């Protein structure tokens, strides 16, 4: 980062940003890639590049793009979400998806896009499912956007090159700042005409950065030397989950611990004690109070 060669990226003249984008486009085998400030911005630009005002996207009820991004697609893009529950394996039931595609009738929003997430809460979507979902989208004239914040975790877990996953989507967002360890940044990858639209929206949203090569340099390290090491995170998460499952008070679904995320449930009365105890030992967890259950889920991520 200290020695990164920089220029003005608003004019497309930062050589380090351009190199990062070229590397990402090559790895995912997409025509173009765009460096953005965050995963949330990458997803929003993906949705905005596919959809116009009054269009609709089909998305998981618990998906990051729908639930954890402040409703940006609706607020800033006037894009209506059509959410449905994920199945336990992180997929959307394709029969249900088909039935939610609206007919071409002015009573309805125009269904334009299917949005998937891989990994979904750490779970890896099966390759044959991705192919079926992309075929369903194509035969209904829908685009497919993949929230691939953690796509490299999926690729490492399946031992496939990342483009084997990315080929089943039009656009893919990728986080550099999760397991890959860069301090800041994500990428939106896809066909040139959509990335061109995303570039315009990025500027409008205030995401056009100037000498961003300092940040992109860390992104290059993330993509070129941290991907294989995700396997170590997966091993650590599996080991943690296994040991936690041996504690009587803890409930944990070991089948759901496939990559780098561990979710567990503890009795409500231990939750406060546990989180402060762990904090005293420099171990940070995210705590979600469950609205219906007296048990409180935790999650940790590497
Ligand atoms: C982290 C994450 C994002 C983006 O989050 P930012 O904090 O905006 O970078 C999007 N989708 C998923 C699945 C994520 O895990």
């Amino acid at each position: 980062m200290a020695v990164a060669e920089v220029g003005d990226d608003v004019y497309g003249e930062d050589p380090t940003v351009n190199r990062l984008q070229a590397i990402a486009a090559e790895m995912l085998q997409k025509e173009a890639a765009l460096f953005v400030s965050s995963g949330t911005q990458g997803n929003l630009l993906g949705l905005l590049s596919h959809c116009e005002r009054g269009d609709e996207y089909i998305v998981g009820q618990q998906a990051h793009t729908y639930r954890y991004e402040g409703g940006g697609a609706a607020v800033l893009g006037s894009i209506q979400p059509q959410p449905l529950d994920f199945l336990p394996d992180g997929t959307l039931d394709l029969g249900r998806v088909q039935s939610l595609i609206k007919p071409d009738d002015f009573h309805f929003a125009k269904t334009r896009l299917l949005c998937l997430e891989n990994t979904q809460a750490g779970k890896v979507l099966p390759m044959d499912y991705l192919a079926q979902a992309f075929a369903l989208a194509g035969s209904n004239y829908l685009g497919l956007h993949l929230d691939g914040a953690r796509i490299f975790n999926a690729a490492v877990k399946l031992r496939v090159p990342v483009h084997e996953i990315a080929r089943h989507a039009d656009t893919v967002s990728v986080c550099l700042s999760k397991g890959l360890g860069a301090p800041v940044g994500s990428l939106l990858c896809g066909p040139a005409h959509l990335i061109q639209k995303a570039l315009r929206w990025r500027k409008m949203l205030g995401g056009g950065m100037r000498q961003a090569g300092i940040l992109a340099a860390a992104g290059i390290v993330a993509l070129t030397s941290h991907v294989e090491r995700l396997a170590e995170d997966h091993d650590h998460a599996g080991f943690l989950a296994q040991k936690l499952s041996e504690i009587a008070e803890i409930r944990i679904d070991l089948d759901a611990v496939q990559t780098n995320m561990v979710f567990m449930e503890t009795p409500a009365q231990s939750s406060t004690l546990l989180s402060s105890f762990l904090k005293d030992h420099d171990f940070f967890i995210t705590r979600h109070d469950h609205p219906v259950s007296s048990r409180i889920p935790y999650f940790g991520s590497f």
Side-chain angles (χ1 to χ4, degrees):
M1 293 173 80
V3 299
E5 200 188 333
V6 295
D8 189 337
D9 183 48
V10 168
Y11 292 98
E13 291 172 355
D14 186 304
T16 310
V17 171
N18 289 341
R19 194 149 63 85
L20 171 64
Q21 292 175 162
I23 290 169
E26 161 98 34
M27 287 175 97
L28 275 80
Q29 291 188 7
K30 296 293 182 198
E31 278 174 6
L34 185 65
F35 184 48
V36 299
S37 62
S38 67
T40 298
Q41 190 174 68
N43 282 328
L44 178 62
L45 296 181
L47 296 175
L48 289 171
S49 66
H50 283 279
C51 299
E52 306 290 336
R53 180 177 192 214
D55 287 349
E56 175 182 82
Y57 75 113
I58 298 176
V59 62
Q61 189 77 249
Q62 305 81 7
H64 205 281
T65 47
Y66 172 61
R67 193 179 176 116
Y68 298 107
E69 297 182 2
V75 174
L76 301 167
S78 301
I79 305 164
Q80 162 169 286
Q82 168 60 70
L84 73 157
D85 280 325
F86 282 120
L87 297 175
D89 66 356
T91 63
L92 295 174
D93 181 293
L94 294 180
R96 287 271 294 133
V97 168
Q98 178 77 58
S99 73
L100 289 168
I101 298 171
K102 311 291 184 289
D104 183 7
D105 172 328
F106 59 60
H107 291 89
F108 305 119
K110 286 186 227 159
T111 312
R112 194 64 90 191
L113 182 69
L114 173 62
C115 187
L116 295 175
E117 191 171 306
N118 196 11
T119 64
Q120 201 283 313
K123 288 171 286 191
V124 180
L125 273 48
M127 293 294 275
D128 58 342
Y129 173 82
L130 296 180
Q132 289 162 18
F134 198 36
L136 177 141
S139 61
N140 288 281
Y141 306 102
L142 307 185
L144 198 151
H145 173 72
L146 181 67
D147 178 353
R150 302 168 186 275
I151 191 175
F152 282 100
N153 293 95
V156 165
K157 180 69 182 186
L158 293 174
R159 297 172 197 273
V160 297
V162 72
H163 62 79
E164 285 293 325
I165 297 175
R167 65 193 276 259
H168 300 299
D170 298 297
T171 50
V172 183
S173 59
V174 180
C175 268
L176 300 168
S177 59
K178 295 278 176 69
L180 292 178
V184 176
S186 281
L187 290 147
L188 178 69
C189 308
H193 71 283
L194 291 181
I195 299 304
Q196 203 55 38
K197 283 179 80 177
L199 179 64
R200 170 173 277 275
W201 280 114
R202 187 186 72 171
K203 180 67 183 150
M204 207 187 296
L205 291 167
M209 297 182 284
R210 301 287 177 180
Q211 286 82 35
I214 292 166
L215 300 173
I220 292 171
V221 175
L223 288 184
T224 56
S225 60
H226 287 178
V227 171
E228 300 97 85
R229 292 201 54 199
L230 294 175
E232 292 173 42
D233 290 350
H234 300 172
D235 289 346
H236 292 155
F239 180 72
L240 175 65
Q242 185 60 45
K243 290 293 169 190
L244 288 169
S245 74
E246 292 165 12
I247 299 172
E249 293 83 354
I250 287 175
R251 264 206 339 212
I252 194 159
D253 175 7
L254 289 177
D255 291 340
V257 184
Q258 298 173 12
T259 54
N260 64 336
M261 301 178 87
V262 179
F263 295 83
M264 66 174 184
E265 293 183 41
T266 70
Q269 57 273 27
S270 358
S271 67
T272 316
L273 269 176
L274 183 64
S275 50
S276 58
F277 173 83
L278 290 174
K279 204 166 181 184
D280 287 345
H281 292 77
D282 289 331
F283 193 104
F284 293 86
I285 57 173
T286 302
R287 184 175 147 193
H288 295 283
D289 291 304
H290 205 288
V292 287
S293 159
S294 62
R295 299 173 79 88
I296 297 188
Y298 286 86
F299 102 79
S301 159
F302 295 89

